């Protein structure tokens, strides 16, 4: 009698389990399909996603018709296809990102090569410096090894006589060069003093020399003027 009663209880439990809708399986399948949709699986893994969606719909129909046993067989299939669709979608996304990166690198490389070609073409077609400027640079007077860069004034000397020295400029009319280089200590070019140390400009272009001579002629200071005191 007791054994028969236990058998009845077991059979009732099984029937009750089969009679209840598979809510957990339904929620799991729906969640898996939602994750796949969030990864754009409907575009990136369309076939697998559609299979999962169809299986989910079939499972929902089976539940509405109270064919719970059939629903329990279909819904796990829907979940499996949804998970596979998610994996495929992520793989496709990664591949597309890699392809974009490769295309971007190729584009940047082409742009760099094009810029280099344009720069080379521009350098080859650019005009050389003006001849006058080149000539002026070449005519810069470099000091000889024995030419002083500075000079200490002696008694009786003027800027005129200093510029006329062979080891200075050997040209008295170039005294304005010395004057301009020492404006911080020479207020009047006619007045310099013994023991003053004057800077002697050496890298002087032809144009600067011509300008100095012209200023010397126009000033009318030397050779007539006050000597060193």
């Amino acid at each position: 009698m007791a054994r028969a009663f236990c058998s009845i209880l077991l059979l009732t439990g099984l029937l009750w389990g089969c009679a209840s809708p598979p809510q957990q399986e339904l929620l799991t399948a729906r969640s898996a399909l939602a994750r796949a949709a969030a990864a754009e699986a409907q575009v990136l893994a369309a076939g697998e996603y559609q299979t999962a969606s169809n299986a989910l719909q079939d499972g929902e129909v089976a539940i509405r018709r109270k064919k719970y046993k059939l629903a329990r067989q279909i819904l796990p299939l829907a979940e499996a296809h949804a998970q596979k669709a998610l994996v495929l979608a992520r793989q496709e996304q990664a591949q597309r990102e890699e392809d974009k990166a490769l295309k971007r690198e190729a584009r940047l490389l082409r742009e760099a090569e094009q810029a280099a070609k344009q720069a080379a073409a521009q350098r080859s077609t650019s005009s050389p410096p003006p001849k006058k400027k080149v000539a002026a640079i070449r005519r810069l007077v470099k000091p000889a090894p024995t030419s002083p860069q500075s000079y200490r004034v002696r008694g009786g000397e003027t800027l005129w006589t200093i510029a006329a020295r062979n080891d200075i400029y050997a040209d008295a009319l170039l005294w304005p060069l010395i004057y301009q280089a020492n404006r911080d200590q020479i207020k009047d070019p006619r007045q310099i003093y013994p023991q003053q140390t004057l800077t002697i400009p050496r890298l002087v272009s032809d144009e600067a020399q011509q300008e100095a001579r012209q200023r010397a002629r126009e000033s009318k200071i030397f050779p007539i003027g006050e000597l060193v005191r």
Side-chain angles (χ1 to χ4, degrees):
M1 185 68 179
R3 181 178 297 178
F5 181 72
C6 290
S7 299
I8 293 172
L9 289 177
L10 179 60
L11 181 60
T12 302
L14 291 174
L15 291 175
W16 176 258
C18 293
S20 61
Q23 292 296 332
Q24 185 61 43
E25 290 86 343
L26 178 62
L27 292 175
T28 302
R30 285 176 175 174
S31 178
L33 194 65
R35 289 196 300 272
E40 299 182 355
Q42 62 271 39
V43 176
L44 303 177
E48 202 66 33
Y49 181 86
Q50 189 61 46
T51 300
S53 179
N54 292 340
L56 178 60
Q57 291 177 5
D58 291 342
E60 291 173 341
V61 170
I63 291 174
R64 287 196 297 271
R65 294 178 179 178
K66 297 184 179 182
K67 296 181 179 181
Y68 301 144
K69 183 177 180 180
L70 178 61
R72 285 188 172 87
Q73 294 174 350
I74 295 175
L75 292 175
L77 295 176
E79 179 189 358
H81 285 292
Q83 290 177 348
K84 186 176 181 180
L86 175 61
V87 172
L88 293 175
R90 288 176 175 173
Q91 290 176 349
E92 182 65 22
Q93 285 177 342
Q95 185 62 46
R96 291 189 179 188
E97 290 297 326
E98 184 178 354
D99 292 342
K100 286 182 180 180
L102 292 175
K103 290 180 180 179
R104 183 167 56 252
E105 290 178 3
R107 177 176 56 81
L108 293 176
L109 181 60
R110 288 195 302 270
E111 292 176 354
E113 291 176 349
Q114 184 65 24
K117 290 180 181 179
Q118 292 177 354
Q122 186 175 4
R123 286 195 299 269
S124 63
T125 58
S126 60
S127 58
K131 293 182 178 180
K132 291 184 178 180
K133 185 175 181 180
V134 174
I137 294 174
R138 290 177 178 174
R139 287 197 300 268
L140 287 176
V141 180
K142 294 184 178 180
T146 57
S147 299
Q149 304 296 315
S150 62
Y151 183 80
R152 180 169 292 182
V153 179
R154 302 172 184 176
E157 288 184 316
T158 65
L159 293 180
W160 172 281
T161 60
I162 293 173
R165 289 176 59 93
N166 290 331
D167 59 344
I168 303 299
Y169 296 134
D171 187 343
L173 290 176
L174 293 181
W175 66 263
L177 296 176
I178 304 175
Y179 173 58
Q180 289 296 328
N182 296 274
R183 290 294 300 275
D184 59 328
Q185 58 176 321
I186 300 177
K187 305 305 179 183
D188 186 341
R190 294 170 296 184
Q191 295 181 345
I192 58 175
Y193 304 92
Q195 304 305 314
Q196 275 186 291
T197 300
L198 304 179
T199 299
I200 306 299
R202 286 300 178 183
L203 296 176
V204 183
S205 65
D206 284 354
E207 287 80 358
Q209 294 179 44
Q210 292 298 331
E211 183 180 352
R213 293 188 182 97
Q214 183 64 29
R215 291 180 58 190
R217 294 188 184 97
E218 293 175 354
S219 69
K220 298 180 181 180
I221 295 177
F222 296 111
I224 301 173
E226 297 183 14
L227 297 178
V228 177
R229 295 178 181 178

